[in-house]
Amino acid sequence: MTDLAADGLTLQPVAGSPRLRADSDGRSQVLHPHWLRERSEEPDAIDQGNKQRLFAPADLPPDLHATDVRPAAGATIVVWSDGHTQSVDHAMLARELGWANDPNSPPGRKSWVGQLDPFPHFSLPAADDDDVMRAILEAFWIHGFAILTDTATEAGSLDGIASQFGEIRDTNFGRLFDVFSKPDPIDLAYTPIELKAHTDNPYRAPVPGIQFLHCLVNDSSGGESTLVDGLAAFEEMGELDPEGRDVLACTPVTFRYEFGTERMQARASIFETDAAGGFVGIRNSDRLDFVDPVDPDTLDVFYRARRTLRTLLDQPERRAQFLLEPGHVMMMDNRRLLHGRTAYSLTEGHRHLQGCYIDHDGPDQGWRAIAARSRS
Ligand SMILES: [Fe+2]
């Protein structure tokens, strides 16, 4: 998709109908008059500063139609039956129809399996350079993670590191949480046992979007970090068991966390999909999930699919496995990737990580700001 879609675009009325038709380079789309009218960018339609609408689309007359349509440079002028005149910018229309890329949008995801080569690690002190920050964010958007290196190893320094990417989201585990073995742990993360591929906090609504894990000390044996791509597992499930994948996307599950007086729960499906059935995210923590009492035939499929998914997620060849060294920070998409770690020894050395969460809007805004600067 290029801006060529805008260059050759035409917009004209559909004879005998209030609708209009956009054409460009062999593509054609009939447009509802309200769909087009509510995208008006005229000064009496939207605030020119904050781009918010100055009218309520629900108040438009139901029989709205164009009374005049004429071409202009890079646009089409549409006069509407309610008296509004709208210059429809062809570049805007091509983007809205999906015929051209938004030049400021982050890159799309690419599924992956196994160790990535080259491995996406970047020296963080250079992140005040737009090119380096862009490379970090590009890896994050495409692969779902990036490893930042050469950071401080003082406890608490993750606050400043993660804040370069977005607002830190506080939880009951704290603004920053420590990951090391402790007695009476409130979560199995705080023990030395192996942690299989999982997503964090599926019992929250919404789940934390992005997790940072900052390695302060890691000189025990074992304790390697693991990542698995939930998008790749979703795609593989579509090949192996499409019916099961649909059931995992449609069947409500309660994810529950209880410790002492704290209780949190959220009801969601294991796979989150969009209206077209595409992958949006995955919640997976098989220590915390309780499926709804739907009919046993559906549960047969659900349990079959969950076994298949677990088998996929546990395949060693599917995971990226690496040792986080002191000063390394893993930044990973908690809605897309699953993370885990191998077991480690409590008798040799010490392992101490700190973590925190941010949401996706931080890296999204960061990417858009860099993209806009690069074109100015
Ligand atoms: Fe975790």
Side-chain angles (χ1 to χ4, degrees):
M1 292 187 289
T2 70
D3 285 346
L4 292 174
D7 293 341
L9 194 145
T10 61
L11 183 63
Q12 51 200 330
V14 175
S17 161
R19 297 172 181 171
L20 296 99
R21 197 183 72 233
D23 293 279
S24 176
D25 197 23
R27 286 170 291 210
S28 185
Q29 173 105 23
V30 174
L31 308 177
H32 193 287
H34 283 229
W35 184 92
L36 191 59
R37 170 71 170 82
E38 69 187 16
R39 280 163 175 73
S40 177
E41 297 178 324
E42 302 302 329
D44 59 337
I46 61 168
D47 183 286
Q48 297 300 296
N50 61 35
K51 306 296 183 192
Q52 294 180 11
R53 279 197 199 109
L54 299 171
F55 67 102
D59 292 340
L60 293 173
D63 61 350
L64 183 77
H65 59 278
T67 58
D68 188 37
V69 179
R70 57 181 185 271
T76 298
I77 309 298
V78 180
V79 181
W80 296 101
S81 56
D82 64 352
H84 182 69
T85 298
Q86 177 183 2
S87 175
V88 180
D89 180 70
H90 288 176
M92 176 281 291
L93 185 55
R95 284 197 304 274
E96 290 289 304
L97 290 171
W99 294 352
N101 290 319
D102 177 350
N104 291 341
S105 285
R109 302 171 301 209
K110 290 183 186 161
S111 58
W112 56 267
V113 172
Q115 212 78 334
L116 286 174
D117 184 18
F119 200 67
H121 57 82
F122 308 89
S123 180
L124 186 69
D128 57 355
D129 179 314
D130 266 5
D131 289 339
V132 175
M133 185 54 112
R134 186 185 175 94
I136 294 170
L137 294 177
E138 184 173 47
F140 170 77
W141 288 112
I142 293 176
H143 306 304
F145 76 102
I147 308 299
L148 316 175
T149 63
D150 309 307
T151 76
T153 53
E154 284 82 44
S157 51
L158 178 60
D159 197 309
I161 296 167
S163 295
Q164 289 180 251
F165 295 88
E167 293 290 329
I168 293 176
R169 180 167 154 191
D170 209 346
T171 73
N172 60 313
F173 295 129
R175 180 174 169 85
L176 302 184
F177 49 86
D178 290 282
V179 182
F180 55 80
S181 288
K182 46 183 118 174
D184 300 325
I186 62 169
D187 191 287
L188 288 173
Y190 307 137
T191 71
I193 67 170
E194 177 195 11
L195 292 179
K196 291 192 170 190
H198 65 280
T199 60
D200 264 15
N201 295 196
Y203 44 78
R204 291 186 204 278
V207 292
I210 298 164
Q211 179 176 185
F212 285 76
L213 274 178
H214 183 203
C215 180
L216 304 178
V217 183
N218 197 2
D219 55 12
S220 59
S221 66
E224 290 193 309
S225 297
T226 59
L227 290 173
V228 175
D229 186 10
L231 171 61
F234 177 83
E235 291 172 348
E236 183 80 12
M237 284 289 296
E239 300 287 324
L240 296 173
D241 186 358
E243 180 195 22
R245 188 177 80 171
D246 287 348
V247 167
L248 291 185
C250 296
T251 308
V253 174
T254 298
F255 295 91
R256 195 180 296 155
Y257 170 88
E258 283 186 71
F259 188 83
T261 57
E262 287 187 339
R263 179 184 173 105
M264 284 173 278
Q265 67 178 51
R267 198 154 166 271
S269 51
I270 288 177
F271 282 131
E272 182 186 356
T273 53
D274 59 23
F279 178 86
V280 172
I282 180 171
R283 294 186 195 221
N284 192 273
S285 182
D286 47 16
R287 303 175 196 278
L288 304 167
D289 58 339
F290 300 90
V291 65
D292 268 18
V294 296
D295 73 90
D297 289 343
T298 301
L299 285 179
D300 274 345
V301 180
F302 177 90
Y303 289 123
R304 180 188 78 209
R306 197 174 65 168
R307 278 193 298 275
T308 305
L309 178 63
R310 185 75 261 166
T311 302
L312 287 178
L313 297 177
D314 287 346
Q315 289 172 338
E317 64 273 22
R318 184 169 289 277
R319 73 174 73 121
Q321 182 166 327
F322 49 92
L323 187 68
L324 279 182
E325 297 177 11
H328 287 188
V329 177
M330 178 169 68
M331 170 187 184
M332 63 108 195
D333 188 339
N334 187 53
R335 290 185 73 195
R336 169 182 169 183
L337 298 192
L338 302 98
H339 64 284
R341 61 136 201 265
T342 61
Y344 64 94
S345 168
L346 277 181
T347 55
E348 307 165 44
H350 186 52
R351 186 178 190 271
H352 182 190
L353 279 62
Q354 282 193 315
C356 70
Y357 303 113
I358 68 169
D359 290 317
H360 284 83
D361 52 1
D364 184 86
Q365 287 177 51
W367 177 274
R368 289 175 187 278
I370 292 171
R373 279 199 293 274
S374 72
R375 289 184 296 104
S376 62

